[in-house]
Amino acid sequence: MSVIKVNHATKDYGHGRGIFDVSFEVKEGETFGFLGPNGAGKSTTIRHLMGFSKLDDGELSINGKNSWKSADNIKHDVGYLPGELAFPKGMTGDQFIEYMAKERQLTDMTQTKELKELFEIDSSKAIKEMSLGTKRKLAVVTAFMHDPKILILDEPTSGLDPVMQERFIQFVLKEKAEGKTILLSSHIFTEVDATCDRIAIIKDGVVVSTVEADELKQNTNKSFKIEFANFKDYQKFIKNTALTISVKRPKQNQVKLTVTDQKMQELFMELSEVKLKFISEIKFTLEDYFMDFYDRDKTVADGEENLQYGMH
């Protein structure tokens, strides 16, 4: 059963900004990754899913409830961690926690206490005096304090130090093991790779791919970085190969290429005709898959092709 449904969601802010015909579903007990750099449309989708804004077209729902029409009810069902933090003015962390507990009619504060200890937060300070990392931890505590069955997390580790980022990932994995339904929006590959069952990649407001995480991990294509013993052997391989080379670095006598299992024998037959300095296999990652869709810019200078991987 799908708990979260995004059906042809469109919000056009003009000048190419917004989201356009975005569709995906998150099944009960699934952790779904929503991957893309800042400005790709992740937060726009999530804000509409939470009922903060109304779509131009399409439909969004959580637990069968329309996101726009049932926004107040949905907020009680969901643990929501926003990408951009905004707190009431003049409150301490403790006062905000108490405020959120009353909003949710929460009397048992056991989970809250455990979360504060896990993320090592001093919530007695005024929120305006807290660092970004401490504010993020306060948002984490209040998002999870009522033990929600559905979690919507927008850039959840932004502002956290590496130790707390890893602690958060382990916490999400524990929530996942308990059967929670999780939508996790992020631009951090390791975070998505470590936690998600399925992943949607969004580019310029459009979902360009949805993939099972296991399919990526079991990918049979293999990438190799090869350096030849000299420029003569480099040229000979380049001239005679029937394989597709993705990167050529003549100054280093290097190439990079990806082959299927079926083409593996052909590769090594061709390499047997030249002298090598080294050959190394490059592990296929979520980042590699992402770069097939996003931000792969090729520039050629002095006969050398460089790949620039930029997250804007």
Side-chain angles (χ1 to χ4, degrees), residues 9 12 25 44 55 87 128 132 163 191 199 201-202 209 220 233 235 267 282:
D12 190 350
E25 296 186 4
T44 299
L55 290 173
F87 296 97
K128 65 179 180 180
L132 176 59
V163 172
E191 186 173 85
I199 301 156
I201 294 173
I202 186 167
S209 177
T220 57
D233 285 295
Q235 280 188 311
L267 169 64
I282 304 167

Side-chain angles (χ1 to χ4, degrees), residues 1 15 44 57 75 77 87 93 97 104 112 162 170 211 234-236 253 277 283 303:
M1 183 184 80
H15 306 289
T44 299
D57 195 19
K75 290 180 179 67
D77 297 339
F87 296 97
I97 289 171
R104 292 175 172 141
T112 306
Q170 294 305 315
V211 64
Y234 166 83
Q235 280 188 311
K236 181 179 178 180
N253 301 324
K277 187 172 183 180
K283 185 180 178 183

Side-chain angles (χ1 to χ4, degrees), residues 26-37:
V26 186
K27 301 170 188 173
E28 186 174 8
E30 181 180 37
T31 301
F32 188 91
F34 201 30
L35 180 63

Side-chain angles (χ1 to χ4, degrees), residues 44-60:
T44 299
T45 304
I46 286 176
R47 283 196 295 268
H48 284 81
L49 191 56
M50 290 300 300
F52 298 132
S53 299
K54 189 176 182 180
L55 290 173
D56 294 336
D57 195 19
E59 190 173 349
L60 308 168

Side-chain angles (χ1 to χ4, degrees), residues 26 46 49 82-84 94 104 111 119 135 159 163 214 232 269 272 282 295:
V26 186
I46 286 176
L49 191 56
E84 295 181 6
D94 285 334
R104 292 175 172 141
Q111 169 100 338
F119 291 104
K135 288 178 180 177
V163 172
D214 284 346
K232 181 180 178 181
M269 285 288 290
S272 70
I282 304 167
D295 235 10

